[in-house]
Amino acid sequence: NTLASESFTPEAYFEVITQRLESQVARNIRDRLSIVEGEKRSQLLEAHKQMLARVERKRSKIEFENRMSDIAKEEPQYKQMRQAFFGLCISGNGFNVVCIKSVKEVFYEAKALHHCMFTNSYYKKQDSLLLSARSSDTGEPIESLEVSLRDFSILQCRGDHNKETDYHKQIVEVVSQHLPDIRALATQKRVSNF
């Protein structure tokens, strides 16, 4: 029995139980949807949606807690490598592009935009600078950028689920115009490290 295993962690236990519950709920809803119509059907679908949202929040909380120890270990090195860029702010029409200042910010940015910047450890790349294009009004992330610190080019610029947003072309254009500024900051950083 998987649940009786001595090496079974609380996170793995939660995952097994969650899968079992989701499977039961999905079967239950499928069975009921075939006999329920109209407003009750939409209420049942809404209840299902809310249950899945609760499960996802719980999963996210567990994932976040597990990742916090990793994040704490990585923060000092990340901040030391990127400190020269912390004051960078590039303004566009309806957005500002800023340096992502911590591994924790990388985590939240990746969560908000549903992409792999954190999962694939982009924050560990010494030759990349991670930027965030954020709404001028709300401060919410619009797109994330990776800029090469070798040739000072934009390697990628991605919005929610790795898609381009309505701001994409303008973000790329505005950041491209400021690549010489990023190069200057990188050069100052290298000089000050000697």
Side-chain angles (χ1 to χ4, degrees):
N1 185 351
T2 312
L3 295 176
S5 170
E6 288 181 28
S7 63
F8 207 69
T9 65
E11 293 80 15
Y13 174 78
F14 174 77
E15 189 63 34
V16 168
I17 296 300
T18 300
Q19 287 173 357
R20 287 181 183 174
L21 286 172
E22 287 174 347
S23 178
Q24 285 175 325
V25 169
R27 277 193 309 272
N28 198 1
I29 287 177
R30 185 192 64 227
D31 294 344
R32 290 175 187 235
L33 280 174
S34 64
I35 58 172
V36 175
E37 295 188 21
E39 188 175 327
K40 293 221 184 258
R41 182 183 178 99
S42 63
Q43 289 172 347
L44 190 57
L45 285 170
E46 183 59 31
H48 177 64
K49 184 174 152 185
Q50 289 174 8
M51 186 278 306
L52 290 176
R54 279 196 304 267
V55 169
E56 183 55 35
R57 283 193 300 273
K58 182 67 174 170
R59 277 188 185 155
S60 292
K61 182 179 179 191
I62 289 172
E63 178 188 359
F64 178 74
E65 289 168 357
N66 289 339
R67 297 290 192 145
M68 281 285 89
S69 65
D70 295 339
I71 289 171
K73 292 174 195 168
E74 302 289 344
E75 286 291 2
Q77 183 179 4
Y78 181 86
K79 287 182 177 182
Q80 181 183 8
M81 291 187 325
R82 304 300 185 270
Q83 192 171 12
F85 305 99
F86 286 177
L88 180 70
C89 183
I90 302 167
S91 295
N93 186 15
F95 65 88
N96 295 309
V97 179
V98 296
C99 177
I100 298 179
K101 296 181 177 92
S102 68
V103 178
K104 192 184 252 184
E105 276 188 39
V106 174
F107 178 82
Y108 286 122
E109 179 103 357
K111 278 298 212 190
L113 295 179
H114 308 97
H115 58 48
C116 64
M117 183 187 336
F118 182 81
T119 305
N120 288 346
S121 303
Y122 282 74
Y123 56 88
K124 290 182 180 179
K125 294 170 112 181
Q126 293 187 14
D127 59 349
S128 288
L129 177 63
L130 302 178
L131 303 175
S132 176
R134 299 179 179 167
S135 166
S136 298
D137 296 332
T138 65
E140 294 295 316
I142 300 170
E143 291 195 17
S144 303
L145 297 93
E146 179 186 12
V147 173
S148 168
L149 294 177
R150 289 180 188 233
D151 66 4
F152 299 94
S153 64
I154 297 172
L155 299 174
Q156 55 183 326
C157 182
R158 303 279 187 257
D160 192 28
H161 290 93
N162 285 322
K163 294 184 176 139
E164 295 179 0
T165 66
D166 293 340
Y167 290 96
H168 180 77
K169 287 182 181 175
Q170 187 183 0
I171 291 168
V172 169
E173 183 179 310
V174 169
V175 172
S176 293
Q177 291 170 357
H178 286 84
L179 289 172
D181 300 329
I182 293 171
R183 180 188 298 266
L185 290 170
T187 304
Q188 289 173 352
K189 178 185 180 294
R190 287 187 196 116
V191 169
S192 67
N193 284 342
F194 286 112

